Every structure is written in C-alpha cells, then in structure tokens.
Amino acid sequence: GQNIDQPTEMTATEGAIVQINCTYQTSGFNGLFWYQQHAGEAPTFLSYNVLDGLEEKGRFSSFLSRSKGYSYLLLKELQMKDSASYLCASRGYSSASKIIFGSGTRLSIRP
Amino acid sequence: DTAVSQTPKYLVTQMGNDKSIKCEQNLGHDTMYWYKQDSKKFLKIMFSYNNKELIINETVPNRFSPKSPDKAHLNLHINSLELGDSAVYFCASSGRAEPEAFFGQGTRLTVV
C-alpha cells in the first residue's frame, strides 16, 4: 500500500522561507510530486522528483531522499499569494499507476 | 484551450437521484482518473483508466460507475445519490511523457 504524511497546517511570514516536509511509504515507487491548491480551485503541479537530490524551480525547490522515504518543498521569498494547500503525492512503479495524495499542508502567510 | 475539462462545475441534487459528470482531455494522455475531495480537503483516488481500460477501483461503492468511451473521455455516473456523496470531484489525466497529473476544475456536488 501507500501512505503519505505531512503536517496539517503551517504559518509563515511574507518574505521568509518555509519548508514543508513529507514522508511516504509505498510498495513500488516511481516519483514524488508536489502540488499547490488554492481554496476552491484545482490542484496545480509544482514539482516532480524521481531521483535523490534537490530540484530548483524559481522560488520553489523540492528535495527527495528515496532511502529515507522523505521529501520536502522549500518556498523562498514568500508572497501572500503562496497561501494555499500543498499536497505531497507519490506514484507507483508503472506509468499507469495511481497517484496517491497526502492530506495536504495548509500554509498561511502573514504580512 | 482547456487541457482537462469537466462539466458541470456545480451540481445540486436531491438524495436518491442519479447524476453524471463528464470529463474530457485534449492532451493525448493515456491515463485518466477520478478523485474525490471531501470537506477535510483529502484528495482520494476513486478510479483510474488506461487506454479505456479500468485499472484501479479503490473500493468505491458500485453506485459509482465510470465509463470511458475513448481514451480522451472518462465520465462518472452516480446512482441513488446519498448525503455523504457531497464533495468536489476532480477528473485528471497523465501521460507517459509527463508523469504529473493534470486536473480539471472540479465539480462541486451537493446532495440535499
């Protein structure tokens, strides 16, 4: 089976840096995703890690350690519009495998 | 140029009714999904189809019946709606070249 854990809520200050952690247990692993979801909207893709290490994309970076079953999403220079839920998700081995989501971390940015 | 589109966006109906939600993707993806997001915002997979074939059914009640007439469409029919079916239903698709899933805008179903 697949199990994904991430904190329920986090708060951070505008302009600061925040790290959202995710741990996962999967039977057959083929990648770790991070999605952003604003209230009332669909999830949108942020990043994908299949190999160990850090992937940087503008203000957002994502890290993966397969041996530890651990990932984090790092958001820099936080803006008010970054207030959203951040969903960690993993995929099984086959390209047609299901993508399983964690319960999401609701991030609130304060001025 | 909507990549994954689902209709309707809002659906309010009475208990016991039967309703359908339609989904279409123009990305050329082989795999399509239905997810349910409840009031606690947990996004849970319901079904997955690959090239029109059902590959995942996550112990969803058989009142829910997906149908894929072709690999660009995956519709969801729900019989005998119950209050607990109220949620946002998301359709998504993914392909071999792009591992991530692309989501439709969601259908907010309210059963009264």
Side-chain angles (χ1 to χ4, degrees):
Chain A
Q2 292 170 273
N3 189 44
I4 298 175
D5 290 310
Q6 54 182 125
T8 305
E9 292 189 38
M10 296 182 72
T11 303
T13 305
E14 190 177 15
I17 299 172
V18 72
Q19 177 175 311
I20 304 174
N21 296 323
C22 169
T23 57
Y24 65 90
Q25 295 169 316
T26 62
S27 52
F29 174 78
N30 194 30
L32 194 292
F33 303 86
W34 283 97
Y35 280 78
Q36 180 190 60
Q37 186 178 25
H38 284 101
E41 297 182 9
T44 55
F45 170 74
L46 288 178
S47 69
Y48 173 64
N49 294 69
V50 66
L51 300 175
D52 289 354
L54 188 68
E55 295 276 345
E56 297 186 73
K57 194 185 291 187
R59 293 188 299 114
F60 294 2
S61 303
S62 57
F63 172 83
L64 176 68
S65 168
R66 288 173 298 171
S67 62
K68 295 181 180 177
Y70 168 70
S71 173
Y72 67 72
L73 180 70
L74 192 71
L75 294 79
K76 303 176 186 175
E77 301 169 20
L78 285 168
Q79 303 174 9
M80 298 302 292
K81 67 178 182 179
D82 297 330
S83 292
S85 286
Y86 291 86
L87 310 174
C88 176
S90 71
R91 176 178 227 156
Y93 185 73
S94 161
S95 63
S97 293
K98 56 189 176 185
I99 299 175
I100 299 297
F101 285 82
S103 54
T105 299
R106 191 183 318 165
L107 176 65
S108 300
I109 309 298
R110 55 177 177 240
Chain B
D1 266 15
T2 306
V4 182
S5 61
Q6 50 182 113
T7 55
K9 188 171 182 181
Y10 300 97
L11 187 52
V12 181
T13 189
Q14 290 186 325
M15 274 197 311
N17 283 351
D18 303 338
K19 290 293 178 186
S20 292
I21 307 172
K22 295 186 175 180
C23 179
E24 175 182 4
Q25 53 94 5
N26 63 3
L27 298 167
H29 288 164
D30 293 329
T31 306
M32 295 186 73
Y33 312 84
W34 277 109
Y35 284 87
K36 177 181 180 180
Q37 189 168 45
D38 58 26
S39 56
K40 295 182 179 178
K41 306 304 179 188
F42 183 46
L43 195 63
K44 185 174 180 182
I45 190 165
M46 300 173 68
F47 300 103
S48 175
Y49 271 69
N50 183 254
N51 283 320
K52 303 192 301 175
E53 299 296 324
L54 177 67
I55 55 171
I56 293 168
N57 178 341
E58 287 290 305
T59 60
V60 178
N62 58 15
R63 296 183 296 105
F64 291 78
S65 52
K67 284 195 170 44
S68 183
D70 56 63
K71 74 175 192 177
H73 295 83
L74 180 61
N75 304 322
L76 183 65
H77 188 77
I78 315 170
N79 290 326
S80 304
L81 278 155
E82 300 178 356
L83 292 177
D85 297 332
S86 295
V88 181
Y89 292 84
F90 285 101
C91 176
S93 71
S94 65
R96 298 179 191 214
E98 299 159 306
E100 69 269 25
F102 291 80
F103 284 81
Q105 76 271 32
T107 295
R108 181 174 294 276
L109 172 65
T110 303
V111 183
V112 297

